[in-house]
Amino acid sequence: MLTPAEWQIVALSLRVSLVAIAAVLPLAFALAWLLARRRFPGMVLIDALVHLPLVLPPVVTGYLLLLAFGPQGPAGRLAKSLLGITFSFHWTGAALAAAVMALPLMVRAIRLSIDAVDTRLESAARTLGAGRWDVFRRVTLPLAAPGVLAALVLGFARSIGEFGATITFASNIPGETRTLPLGIYTALQVPGAEGEVARLAMISIALSLAALVASEWLVRRGTNGKGRPVL
């Protein structure tokens, strides 16, 4: 059984991850759509910037977030004055770090699902008098939905395991920013806390494994296991 402090860590991790993927989903979908359906100058640069967190050391990502969204950063001051949101040393900062790290995986999964949509179906719908919004709502989105759901699950898995950017940007504060990876890291520094480490590690493994299995199931459902979208 988990102790109250460990339950607090698990609850905070779930809260941070769910808020992160919910907040970043609109941006991820917009970027995926842009990269999948449009060709424009600078597209390669935007694609590279979107995927930069995958190859950049997470500590560097956290440092850049601190510069931009910290108390003295331009985005941080703007968010504080307009929305009353503080990121540094707060759970919202942990959610922001998790969202940034999950964004590339979500964009990639959604982009692949949009690429898999047969554009002939969209063209046929337009010839029958459907507007752009109707085509998107009735044809494109339903066909891409399994990929979008898979992106959400992958983003959740990535968020639940985020460590480097979070500890750099939001610090390691009990009850505020101490998520599962930070809780495991903290327990590893305490002699005799092997039981806590094992319990938190098992929860992390279970959540991540469940997310990966769900993501694979959604992808197979969307392609009918044969690489073709289900109509």
Side-chain angles (χ1 to χ4, degrees):
M1 293 295 293
L2 299 180
T3 65
E6 291 166 357
W7 277 118
Q8 184 182 55
I9 290 173
V10 174
L12 178 63
S13 297
L14 293 174
R15 179 187 186 187
V16 164
S17 297
L18 292 173
V19 169
I21 61 173
V24 81
L25 177 60
L27 176 60
F29 192 94
L31 288 170
W33 179 272
L34 184 68
L35 294 172
R37 292 299 177 87
R38 295 290 183 268
R39 295 294 181 268
F40 53 90
M43 176 181 172
V44 174
L45 178 60
I46 292 179
D47 194 10
L49 289 174
V50 167
H51 291 88
L52 188 60
L54 287 179
V55 296
L56 202 64
V59 173
V60 176
T61 301
Y63 173 68
L64 295 176
L65 287 174
L66 188 61
L67 291 179
F69 291 90
Q72 304 305 319
R77 291 198 302 267
L78 189 63
K80 179 66 175 179
S81 61
L82 295 182
L83 304 175
I85 298 177
T86 302
F87 291 105
S88 294
F89 312 112
H90 197 262
W91 75 268
T92 51
L96 176 60
V100 170
M101 298 304 293
L103 178 65
L105 290 177
M106 295 179 66
V107 169
R108 187 170 184 81
I110 297 173
R111 181 180 179 181
L112 290 174
S113 69
I114 293 174
D115 282 333
V117 174
D118 192 342
T119 55
R120 291 174 299 180
L121 296 175
E122 297 174 326
S123 299
R126 292 193 188 97
T127 60
L128 294 174
R132 289 185 177 273
W133 170 246
D134 287 330
V135 171
F136 172 78
R137 182 169 57 90
R138 296 177 180 272
V139 179
T140 309
L141 189 57
L143 291 175
V148 175
L149 293 176
L152 285 171
V153 176
L154 281 175
F156 174 81
R158 182 62 186 87
S159 299
I160 210 77
E162 167 49 34
F163 176 79
T166 301
I167 197 170
T168 304
F169 176 49
S171 191
N172 183 11
I173 304 173
E176 189 65 48
T177 65
R178 183 170 293 175
T179 55
L180 275 167
L182 274 66
I184 294 171
Y185 171 80
T186 302
L188 283 170
Q189 315 305 311
V190 180
E194 291 82 3
E196 180 179 355
V197 172
R199 289 190 295 271
L200 294 178
M202 289 302 296
I203 292 175
S204 297
I205 293 171
L207 288 173
S208 299
L209 184 60
L212 290 174
V213 170
S215 174
E216 180 65 18
W217 178 80
L218 287 167
V219 170
R220 288 182 177 273
R221 182 185 179 187
T223 61
N224 201 23
K226 300 177 182 179
R228 296 192 300 269
V230 176
L231 304 183

